[in-house]
Amino acid sequence: MKPAKMCKISITGHKDQLQKTIDTLYRLKLFDIQTYDGELDTGNPFDEAEEFSQMLVDTRSLLSTLPEAEGTGSFQLSQLANDIETVKEKVDEFERKQAELADEKRDVKTQLDFLKKLKGAKISIEDLEGSDTLETFVGKFDKEELEEATDHDLYEVFEGKDLNLLAYRKDRGMQEVLREIGATETKPPQIDYTGDLEKVLTTLKNRRDGIKSDLDSLQEEYREYARKWRPKLEDAESFLTERVEKAEAPLSFATTDSTFIAEGWIPHDKFNELGEELHRATGGKIHIQEEQTDEEPPTKHENNVAVKPFESLTDLVSVPRHNEIDPSFLLMLTFPLMFGFMIGDAGYGLTTLAVFYGGYRLFPAASEIFKSLMYASIATVAFGLAFGDAFGYVIFGHHSQLASATGIHLFEQIPILFHRAEHLGDVFTLSVVIGLAHVNLGYLVGFYNEFMKHGLKEAFLEKISWILLEIGAFAWYVFGAQVGAPVLLISLVMLYVGEGVEGMVEIPSLLSNILSYFRIFGVSVAAVSLAAVVNAMADPLFGMGNAVGFALGTVVLVVGHVFNTFVKIMEGFLQGIRLHYVEMFTKFYEGGGRKYAPFGGTE
Amino acid sequence: MAAIGAAAAVGITAIATAYAQAKIGAAGIGALAEDDSLFGSVLILTALPETIVIFGLVVALIATGFI
């Protein structure tokens, strides 16, 4: 429940032992290096650092360009520099050829698009240019209108599909007339061929197909090349990353002419393990000691397997400080319940589970969050069964639609808590109860945090005063002012002593925090109604009693419920998590810790 | 009359929430473009104005006699 206890250690040794020390630290993935900032010099990176960093940059740049490809492979360090050079040249060549073909394709497309519009006009491409005596105009205009507007016949119009070509004698300016009839001009692009329009169109189409097949085969060749090299480069990348990290580690250490001192944080219970491993690696030629310090250690979450996925949800707001309760376990307890209660439908529980599982497989970076959401889906199924709802249909209970549809009366016998659509008043009351419980749970955790940091008195004044305030208000409501007023007064005094004026100002926010839990009611109503709307749209279609109606009804159901699934994921997640972040965490959570990042590992 | 009052309560507070969230959301996306570790804080800030519409809902429920 609390982050792991950390200790600061310093490792001192002769520079001869530096490499072995770094290798061991990297392998153990325990030591969170603290960059040295003092009067001694910091160390120099190993000689290989520069060369390897350069190769790493090149490798990463190649990996970002090369097409994706599966496979395994290994590289040889002695060959790597040459290999990178070779692959770079080849990749550049592929990219250049691809760009050239793409340019040409675009060029041919422009010509084709233009000429297609002129299709049907009996012209040669040269005609577009005009001649010493003839001027040309390509554009959209009406031939009859032109005839009417012109007072001579020293021109000719060649009509195409969408565009016309007008050729006229230079000494007979037609611009005025064209403007009058509202002709719009299309400037011909540079055409690569001459001769009959139809023939050129065929030539261009052939060329377009040629380019397409060239491009396809080039891409296939490129992918083949990537399949050969990508796995090797990926292998090289992970090797180089490790070597560069190791080579640059001395930059964070303090050094003298012959010794080095590395400072950093490790989990307290790993102190002995780290010491033994380092002594074994260096033959005991190294000194490790625990430092006494009041610096703030980094935070290492320490939770069991069930709570682990919720750590990312905690870190999303802020990493906990080392000496406060890690709220991940609270999220594990209440977030899935809230999500499940709000959506409360066995059908959507299963569909959201499928979506989250998909996310879990597809996005490894966010896999922990999706895992935590899978808990929420399971809670949704559980609540769905308790409410007897699946996709908005009543499945269990005395008026089970499933029983009447299938004729199996067993479904009616299965007991349910209550049917939400008919007992929204209960959901409403429950929302406030959940709110009170949740907010006060926050105060109790806050009490513990304060107690650990500042002692019982502060904890009591700052956190219990709030709970007393609620009790006072409740007593006033139930028993009247004689009982309520004194309790309220005591709580207000405690609050003022504990938190000062700020506490007084915060009082209305307690009310707004608790009222905020009405969103549970709001989302529940929306969840019930959205499902009912989809079913109400599909029912008349099924009622038509023929195949078309059945097919359309099925489509409406599938599309509608898929849409609803995503709406519900968004509502359930955002509203559920917000109630934790804003309403509950503010009662106790400080956050702002630095996440433990051991050398050589990702955590 | 009560129904109109309830509709106004939810409608107007919903518009107010939407207006606030639009502004916060736009600024939040700007902040995320600079530093995506702010996601959690931006999420909280964007979610804050929702309380306004919840109050609207409460008023509407009181107006219609639900509570």
Side-chain angles (χ1 to χ4, degrees), chain A residues 341-342 383 386-387 398 416-435 517-522 524-525 528, chain B residues 61 65-67:
Chain A
F341 183 81
M342 284 192 278
F383 274 107
F387 297 143
H398 64 277
I416 57 171
L417 271 183
F418 60 86
H419 187 50
R420 275 202 306 179
E422 291 158 12
H423 295 90
L424 284 172
D426 293 348
V427 177
F428 187 80
T429 319
L430 265 173
S431 303
V432 189
V433 175
I434 294 172
Y517 284 81
F518 279 135
R519 73 187 62 232
I520 294 182
F521 165 77
S524 297
V525 175
V528 171
Chain B
L61 292 174
F66 188 86
I67 322 177

Side-chain angles (χ1 to χ4, degrees), chain A residues 316 428 512 518-519 574-575 578, chain B residues 40 47 50-51 58 61 67:
Chain A
L316 205 57
F428 187 80
S512 87
F518 279 135
R519 73 187 62 232
L574 281 181
Q575 305 300 345
R578 174 229 142 92
Chain B
E50 279 164 9
T51 314
V58 173
L61 292 174
I67 322 177

Side-chain angles (χ1 to χ4, degrees), chain B:
Chain B
M1 209 50 200
I4 294 174
V10 172
I12 296 170
T13 49
I15 292 171
T17 301
Y19 179 75
Q21 283 194 328
K23 294 216 143 186
I24 299 170
I29 296 296
L32 283 184
E34 292 282 325
D35 178 2
D36 57 10
S37 69
L38 293 171
F39 183 79
S41 321
V42 168
L43 184 69
I44 292 176
L45 288 173
T46 317
L48 275 179
E50 279 164 9
T51 314
I52 307 172
V53 73
I54 300 287
F55 287 159
L57 180 68
V58 173
V59 170
L61 292 174
I62 293 172
T64 51
F66 188 86
I67 322 177

Side-chain angles (χ1 to χ4, degrees), chain A residues 550-561:
Chain A
F550 185 78
L552 284 177
T554 312
V555 170
V556 168
L557 278 188
V558 171
V559 173
H561 287 306

